Amino acid sequence: MIINGKLQSEKLRKKIKNEILSLKRKTKKTPKLSVILIGNYLPSQIYVRNKEKMAKEVGMKSEIIRYHSNIPEKTIISKIIQLNKNKNISGILVQLPLPKHIKKENIINTIDPKKDVDGFNPINVGNLASGYNAIVPCTPLGCLKLIKSVKKNLSGKHAVIIGRSNLNGKPMTQLLLKENCTVTIVHSKTKNLKTQCSQADILIAAVGVPKLVKKDWVKRGSIIIDVGINKVKDKIVGDVDFKMVVKKARAITPVPGGVGPMTIACLLNNTLECFKAR
Ligand code: GUN
């Protein structure tokens, strides 16, 4: 079975659209997402444009605040403080990666945790790790929703996550622990990578190595989630060798059309949740 990320994303966005409509009627207010984009890195430009387009489609307000790549860090910090105070703004996102002279942690730490739609602020990271209410990073949240679209009860399942990033691997671990999975994180220094992966009931690949996961890396009947977006000879491919693995898996996400569309839907979901909480 191929997990249709586009369809799942459409379903979630329809639900968000209806909720915004009914909240607008009741409160006369609309959620608003502010995105800060620094520099002209092409993938970031594309991501941000898609985020704005989809926000508008669900009836959300959105703005992109653009800066030249040599903007001083303090200008960005001042802007974030201003957005934090602005009652009309529900969510703030600073697109990564940042230019080298800007320290990521200074930026992330400035965003009000209640408007941190990425869930990257240490307050949200800590709340998630403690099992408290938290804003959950969009990519792992999307992955979990895709897994649950094929299997509701994950209790006791062995999940293996390839990659230990703050954006995906680490928060994914917390989400799957909450679902009562047994979780293993593997990474570039792990010994017997293939053997570890082949024991997974749920395998999540988020390393950025094109087609790393081969047929003999996966257990028959497992669920495979491919977070990779790699450009190879003008084609986008995932971290999983889809053609080989699809025959062995119970369910698998394609690239493109799997995790990607779900990530943006989850961003809109987080923005709506921030709006409701305020
Ligand atoms: N760059 C790539 N993915 C992301 C993301 O999820 N959030 C932000 N802010 N930047 C990104």
Side-chain angles (χ1 to χ4, degrees):
M1 175 193 179
I2 297 169
I3 303 173
N4 189 338
K6 266 189 181 166
L7 185 71
Q8 295 298 327
S9 168
E10 270 166 30
K11 270 193 201 168
L12 180 56
R13 282 181 285 132
K14 210 171 204 175
K15 190 169 150 265
I16 294 167
K17 190 175 179 172
N18 288 336
E19 203 170 340
I20 289 176
L21 210 61
S22 94
L23 284 168
K24 258 187 201 171
R25 276 197 216 109
K26 276 188 219 145
T27 65
K28 306 271 180 280
K29 291 194 172 92
T30 310
K32 182 171 176 180
L33 173 66
S34 278
V35 178
I36 295 180
L37 175 62
I38 307 163
N40 52 10
Y41 178 55
L42 190 62
S44 290
Q45 307 256 7
I46 296 168
Y47 285 141
V48 164
R49 217 179 300 140
N50 283 338
K51 284 169 186 172
E52 190 186 38
K53 184 170 158 257
M54 291 204 188
K56 296 238 156 88
E57 275 170 17
V58 297
M60 207 173 260
K61 288 184 190 165
S62 94
E63 65 177 350
I64 304 175
I65 304 162
R66 294 172 196 271
Y67 291 99
H68 198 273
S69 60
N70 57 14
I71 192 86
E73 183 181 290
K74 64 177 192 315
T75 310
I76 305 296
I77 303 266
S78 306
K79 185 66 193 176
I80 295 170
I81 292 169
Q82 188 194 330
L83 295 171
N84 284 345
K85 287 183 193 153
N86 185 336
K87 289 194 175 68
N88 297 321
I89 307 288
S90 323
I92 303 166
L93 180 148
V94 180
Q95 186 66 27
L96 305 175
L98 297 171
K100 281 201 178 68
H101 68 281
I102 301 179
K103 215 167 169 197
K104 190 167 69 180
E105 65 199 80
N106 291 345
I107 299 300
I108 289 172
N109 285 338
T110 307
I111 299 173
D112 180 346
K114 292 190 171 69
K115 294 190 178 188
D116 169 34
V117 284
D118 265 325
F120 293 165
N121 184 292
I123 299 280
N124 282 314
V125 176
N127 280 338
L128 178 64
S130 306
Y132 304 148
N133 263 347
I135 302 172
V136 178
C138 309
T139 303
L141 182 60
C143 292
L144 182 66
K145 286 182 190 293
L146 292 176
I147 296 166
K148 294 198 94 170
S149 73
V150 287
K151 183 144 186 67
K152 290 260 166 343
N153 183 4
L154 307 180
S155 182
K157 296 292 172 202
H158 184 193
V160 176
I161 302 164
I162 316 173
R164 52 179 155 174
S165 71
N166 290 343
L167 259 73
N168 197 69
K170 288 180 198 159
M172 193 75 242
T173 305
Q174 306 299 350
L175 287 176
L176 290 168
L177 283 175
K178 233 177 176 172
E179 295 291 328
N180 298 313
C181 288
T182 304
V183 185
T184 304
I185 299 196
V186 297
H187 48 77
S188 54
K189 302 285 186 289
T190 299
K191 298 200 171 89
N192 304 321
L193 201 57
K194 182 167 101 177
T195 312
Q196 297 268 9
C197 293
S198 67
Q199 284 161 17
D201 301 309
I202 301 163
L203 182 64
I204 297 157
V207 267
V209 179
K211 298 187 184 180
L212 174 75
V213 176
K214 307 285 184 209
K215 197 170 162 188
D216 56 349
W217 285 46
V218 307
K219 184 169 159 180
R220 192 165 289 284
S222 56
I223 298 172
I224 315 286
I225 305 292
D226 191 350
V227 185
I229 301 176
N230 311 293
K231 204 168 169 191
V232 179
K233 291 184 204 151
D234 281 339
K235 250 187 86 183
I236 301 293
V237 300
D239 292 349
V240 178
D241 194 334
F242 184 87
K243 263 193 197 152
M244 292 166 77
V245 172
V246 70
K247 295 175 193 143
K248 213 169 167 189
R250 173 185 161 192
I252 181 169
T253 60
V255 177
V259 174
M262 220 33 207
T263 298
I264 301 188
C266 288
L267 170 69
L268 302 176
N269 187 69
N270 282 354
T271 310
L272 176 58
E273 289 304 316
C274 289
F275 172 77
K276 281 157 63 181
R278 291 171 70 81

